[in-house]
Amino acid sequence: MDNTSFLLKDAWKQLEKSVVHYQGQPVGTVAALHPGTTPLNYDQIFTRDFFVSALVFLFNKDYRIVRNFLSVTADLHGRKRSIDCFTSGLGLMPASFKVICEGGRERLSADFGEQAIGRVTPVDSSLWWLLLLRMYINASGDRSFAGRAPVRQAVMAILDLYLVARFELIPTLLVPDGAFMIDRRMGMYGHPLDIEVLFFAALRAAHDILSLDPADDAAQYCNTVAHRAGHLAAHLHRNYWLDQERLAHICSYRQDEFGEEVANRYNIYPESVPAWAAPWLGSQGGYFVGNIGPGRMDFRFLSLGNLLSILVSLTDQQQQTNLVSLLQRQHGTIIANMPLKACYPALEGAEWQAITGADRKNTPWSYHNGGSWPFLTWLLAAVSIKADKKLLTIDQLIGMAGTLQADNWPEYYDGIDGDTAGKEARLFQIWTIAGFLAAYYLLKNPKNIELLAFDENPFSATCDED
Ligand code: GLC
């Protein structure tokens, strides 16, 4: 057996082992098959983790498990729960769930954050769910599934929850710490790019799904979604996009400006621009910064949001070129030896102490704090195809998978170069394995990208200002 076949075989063996059944049907995959130690919640089916497994199943025309996952979670989201000050889960999809067997009967138990370490709410789950539903319909052609009452109700409940008026007059979502893949305190509260781009992607998915539905209320939701997505895209372009030209503007900002037409809308102090930003960007580079708020621009590079922005055509052509050029120029810092850093650069010293709360799992260049996450390889492969640039070749992917397999498929890697298996990494981490397989099937058959990518943003024209 050649090396590639050996790696694929081992990866599939683990992926199949991770499948969870409920009432005789496959409904998802556990987060990790780590041997020995207490599983914490790694024995559960995580919504965000399953998205990566689902890519692999859909690319291989195995629709059943994805359909079952979407069905059981559509039922779970509406289940009445009683936790303090929040009794209805409508529109909120669980971070994770598991099957409990009692007295010969099976039931599902979901965690919406009330059990999670740090009690973190999964703002991302419902957004991944919408993206997955669109992908399932694209792959299987099963359009009638979206019309089934529980699925239709779930789509609308998610939109009701995410489009509701809040305390702010901007199109982004206000997000607490720990609300997505970075689910520990990392200074992500506010308006983190990963969620805002995912929100844009989910709105696009919802628009496609609702467009299949002839009912009047679906048309109304479609209009609202298009309006919000247009404003959101314009807001991200105007406020988050950073290149040398924008950086020069920021460095010349005046403070405490009042009124609608001011340059320094968020009252950013030039002194807050980190020294690494200009040389790191180079003359051609550009990216969306990590977060914006009053007096705050977080210059950290968040991989998920930036790469996803290309896949879902949030970037315009020029931005895509600049972002890809940055990825190529900064290969060593972002992609490194094990793709991909969740966030760059790491928080260190007093900043790490204050922002993470001295989190020993998130020490500099480890875990979420500058550690490398191989599950993101699917996204790197997808961006390579969408942008038609060789950011990842099959040979590089196979080389990388050889390391992963030899290290027992760890959850993450440590170090600025991403070359040591993470100090607290779970082994046989399923989205690591699925990330490799999904990247492989994308690179092998680039047409697979059609299931998940979006064409040029049709909503930007609806927005003249935000
Ligand atoms: C960790 C990660 C989170 C992931 C979960 C299960 O909590 O931070 O993103 O979903 O493990 O793999």
Side-chain angles (χ1 to χ4, degrees):
M1 192 187 299
D2 68 17
N3 190 28
T4 305
S5 312
F6 166 75
L7 293 168
L8 289 172
K9 193 168 170 218
D10 192 46
W12 268 108
K13 190 173 100 191
Q14 308 303 335
L15 184 64
E16 276 161 6
K17 232 163 76 182
S18 75
V19 171
V20 176
H21 288 81
Y22 174 58
Q23 294 175 349
Q25 293 291 323
V27 290
T29 50
V30 294
L33 294 167
H34 190 92
T37 51
T38 36
L40 291 172
N41 51 356
Y42 283 83
D43 59 347
Q44 303 213 5
I45 303 165
F46 277 73
T47 302
R48 71 176 74 89
D49 296 43
F50 181 70
F51 181 88
V52 189
S53 300
L55 288 172
V56 181
F57 293 123
L58 294 180
F59 292 159
N60 285 279
K61 303 197 183 340
D62 182 352
Y63 308 129
R64 193 167 59 126
I65 185 169
V66 179
R67 185 188 162 102
N68 292 339
F69 171 87
L70 289 165
S71 293
V72 297
T73 42
D75 289 344
L76 277 175
H77 94 102
R79 189 171 285 178
K80 290 265 183 257
R81 294 171 295 115
S82 73
I83 47 175
D84 291 346
C85 61
F86 193 16
T87 49
S88 167
L90 282 182
L92 189 67
M93 286 290 172
S96 62
F97 65 96
K98 66 177 170 185
V99 180
I100 293 183
C101 219
E102 273 165 351
R105 284 174 65 93
E106 284 181 344
R107 67 178 174 87
L108 296 177
S109 160
D111 178 23
F112 293 82
E114 68 270 43
Q115 296 167 53
I117 298 169
R119 299 290 181 267
V120 284
T121 321
V123 174
D124 64 338
S125 293
S126 306
L127 305 175
W128 286 120
W129 190 90
L130 284 174
L131 271 187
L132 185 57
L133 175 59
R134 172 185 175 271
M135 256 170 44
Y136 165 75
I137 297 168
N138 281 349
S140 65
D142 180 6
R143 289 158 153 242
S144 62
F145 182 69
R148 287 185 47 209
V151 177
R152 193 172 188 277
Q153 281 157 12
V155 172
M156 293 188 174
I158 293 173
L159 293 174
D160 287 341
L161 178 65
Y162 283 73
L163 297 174
V164 74
R166 293 168 203 242
F167 292 109
E168 294 184 307
L169 301 175
I170 48 175
T172 37
L173 287 174
L174 180 58
V175 174
D177 246 336
F180 57 107
M181 177 253 158
I182 298 179
D183 59 1
R184 300 166 81 93
R185 200 174 139 196
M186 272 286 292
M188 295 290 155
Y189 64 89
H191 307 89
L193 185 79
D194 284 2
I195 286 287
E196 308 307 343
V197 178
L198 193 55
F199 182 34
F200 175 78
L203 289 176
R204 291 206 65 176
H207 195 270
D208 284 0
I209 296 161
L210 290 167
S211 303
L212 302 171
D213 185 341
D216 280 354
D217 57 345
Q220 273 169 24
Y221 272 97
C222 264
N223 289 340
T224 315
V225 164
H227 186 73
R228 182 68 173 262
H231 280 283
L232 180 60
H235 178 86
L236 294 170
H237 285 191
R238 187 167 174 182
N239 298 298
Y240 284 64
W241 182 253
L242 189 76
D243 53 19
Q244 287 296 356
E245 196 185 327
R246 176 91 204 285
L247 197 56
H249 275 147
I250 295 173
C251 290
S252 65
Y253 270 166
R254 289 187 302 155
Q255 272 64 58
D256 301 335
E257 296 180 303
F258 175 81
E260 278 181 23
E261 295 304 320
V262 301
N264 190 0
R265 305 165 85 221
Y266 286 93
N267 205 28
I268 308 297
Y269 280 78
E271 294 85 331
S272 69
V273 177
W276 59 266
W280 191 76
L281 258 176
S283 57
Q284 305 301 318
Y287 70 103
F288 291 103
V289 295
N291 214 318
I292 302 248
R296 171 185 186 213
M297 182 176 272
D298 184 339
F299 289 83
R300 282 177 291 175
F301 179 92
L302 301 187
S303 292
L304 179 68
N306 272 292
L307 271 74
L308 196 61
S309 76
I310 293 180
L311 188 62
V312 303
S313 294
L314 172 68
T315 46
D316 61 27
Q317 204 51 48
Q318 188 57 51
Q319 288 169 333
Q320 177 178 303
T321 306
N322 294 352
L323 189 42
V324 169
S325 141
L326 182 72
L327 289 170
Q328 287 172 319
R329 187 181 133 84
Q330 289 299 342
H331 192 284
T333 58
I334 306 173
I335 300 172
N337 291 334
M338 186 54 74
L340 209 66
K341 287 218 171 49
C343 136
Y344 175 90
L347 299 167
E348 304 194 65
E351 230 185 353
W352 164 78
Q353 180 106 21
I355 294 179
T356 71
D359 185 343
R360 281 196 300 274
K361 195 159 178 181
N362 270 335
T363 50
W365 308 110
S366 185
Y367 206 46
H368 304 125
N369 188 15
S372 300
W373 291 76
F375 87 86
L376 283 169
T377 311
W378 74 267
L379 190 51
L380 186 62
V383 166
S384 293
I385 296 166
K386 177 101 192 315
D388 197 17
K389 287 278 187 269
K390 288 210 173 333
L391 292 168
L392 181 72
T393 62
I394 287 254
D395 286 350
Q396 286 168 332
L397 178 71
I398 294 299
M400 184 199 116
T403 308
L404 288 173
Q405 202 274 342
D407 291 343
N408 292 325
W409 307 102
E411 181 184 16
Y412 66 97
Y413 278 69
D414 282 349
I416 197 158
D417 298 323
D419 45 18
T420 331
K423 61 178 161 36
E424 290 187 44
R426 302 273 139 177
L427 301 179
F428 301 98
Q429 179 80 24
I430 298 307
W431 67 353
T432 296
I433 293 166
F436 154 59
L437 287 172
Y440 179 81
Y441 293 116
L442 276 164
L443 295 176
K444 230 15 211 180
N445 180 10
K447 270 182 88 62
N448 275 329
I449 191 93
E450 288 166 16
L451 301 187
L452 51 145
F454 289 84
D455 293 339
E456 204 179 318
N457 175 15
F459 306 128
S460 46
T462 64
C463 181
D464 37 32
E465 55 172 26
D466 61 85

